[in-house]
Amino acid sequence: GQQVMQIPQYQHVQEGEDFTTYCNSSTTLSNIQWYKQRPGGHPVFLIQLVKSGEVKKQKRLTFQFGEAKKNSSLHITATQTTDVGTYFCAGSTGNQFYFGTGTSLTVIP
Amino acid sequence: NAGVTQTPKFQVLKTGQSMTLQCAQDMNHNSMYWYRQDPGMGLRLIYYSASEGTTDKGEVPNGYNVSRLNKREFSLRLESAAPSQTSVYFCASSPGTVKAQPQHFGDGTRLSIL
């Protein structure tokens, strides 16, 4: 069954507003990865987090890995129309690897 | 550099027909993966290969077979297609040999089974 839960499933924001998606696991993760998929496109790898409490930034995107390594978040500051797409987290536990169900982001100009 | 190339991009099959989805990568990656993506389900791993000649089942292997022909190519075969296999199929690769962390995805094959 699904090991990694992601919320919200959908998010509509006005351009310029912030956006956050959350990823939660029932078990401790070895690492977590984030991907972005544009409508009709393929997943594109964004980043990997490995350490407890790790925070990484990519321009307007901030990724966090929880202290207990059971949750993670992706925050986008001042969204732009180019941010439209579905954001997936994916976590590793032992030799298993599970994708979350994704958060679909719509940005209203 | 093409990255990960999948063929075909679209396919319609009748129930019971067979077909092979092709995938090739030109990045000299060790690991290759086949995923299926269904609405509301995220991506689910069908099969994984850490190196030439080795394959490993993922979450949803039933109804599929794979072949890692060489380091570049990893094919997925549906022996007797069923409507439940209607999906978008993605091939992916990564440089490591750990069963995780796919990094580069192909454009996908959109498969419909009637």
Side-chain angles (χ1 to χ4, degrees), chain A residues 5 10-11 13 18 27 29-31 33 35 38 43 46 49 71-73 75-76 78 84 103 109:
Chain A
M5 303 303 296
Y10 302 97
Q11 185 77 58
V13 299
D18 293 355
T27 58
L29 301 170
S30 310
N31 58 64
Q33 303 191 133
Y35 301 80
R38 293 183 183 275
L46 295 177
L49 304 172
N71 55 70
S72 180
S73 65
H75 180 82
I76 302 178
V84 165
T103 296

Side-chain angles (χ1 to χ4, degrees), chain B residues 40-104:
Chain B
M41 298 291 292
L43 290 103
R44 292 182 292 169
L45 182 65
I46 304 171
Y47 269 96
Y48 159 74
S49 170
S51 61
E52 180 182 351
T54 67
T55 61
D56 193 10
K57 293 179 180 179
E59 296 174 70
V60 289
N62 292 343
Y64 305 95
N65 287 302
V66 290
S67 179
R68 184 76 182 268
L69 305 169
N70 47 56
K71 194 170 186 179
R72 288 188 66 247
E73 298 172 291
F74 189 36
S75 61
L76 178 72
R77 182 161 178 84
L78 286 71
E79 290 291 351
S80 179
S84 61
Q85 294 177 305
T86 293
S87 188
V88 180
Y89 291 85
F90 287 102
C91 178
S93 71
S94 65
T97 55
V98 178
K99 183 185 175 182
Q101 306 166 17
Q103 287 196 356
H104 297 268

Side-chain angles (χ1 to χ4, degrees), chain A residues 33-106:
Chain A
Q33 303 191 133
W34 285 92
Y35 301 80
K36 175 184 178 181
Q37 184 175 23
R38 293 183 183 275
H42 60 270
V44 174
F45 173 76
L46 295 177
I47 207 161
Q48 180 184 352
L49 304 172
V50 178
K51 299 177 183 177
S52 169
E54 189 170 14
V55 178
K56 287 188 177 181
K57 292 190 176 184
Q58 290 180 350
K59 296 183 180 178
R60 295 178 294 104
L61 277 61
T62 301
F63 304 85
Q64 292 190 324
F65 200 9
E67 293 288 342
K69 300 184 77 172
K70 288 187 175 182
N71 55 70
S72 180
S73 65
L74 159 58
H75 180 82
I76 302 178
T77 303
T79 54
Q80 300 175 359
T81 54
T82 53
D83 295 325
V84 165
T86 300
Y87 292 84
F88 291 96
C89 63
S92 295
T93 62
N95 68 343
Q96 300 300 318
F97 184 76
Y98 296 103
F99 275 87
T101 50
T103 296
S104 176
L105 172 64
T106 300

Side-chain angles (χ1 to χ4, degrees), chain B residues 8 10-21 36 38 62-64 76-89 109-114:
Chain B
F10 302 92
Q11 185 72 49
V12 179
L13 293 177
K14 293 181 180 178
T15 298
Q17 286 186 318
S18 62
M19 83 160 294
T20 300
L21 280 60
R36 60 177 289 173
D38 303 295
N62 292 343
Y64 305 95
L76 178 72
R77 182 161 178 84
L78 286 71
E79 290 291 351
S80 179
S84 61
Q85 294 177 305
T86 293
S87 188
V88 180
Y89 291 85
T109 295
R110 283 144 183 84
L111 181 61
S112 293
I113 316 295
L114 305 177

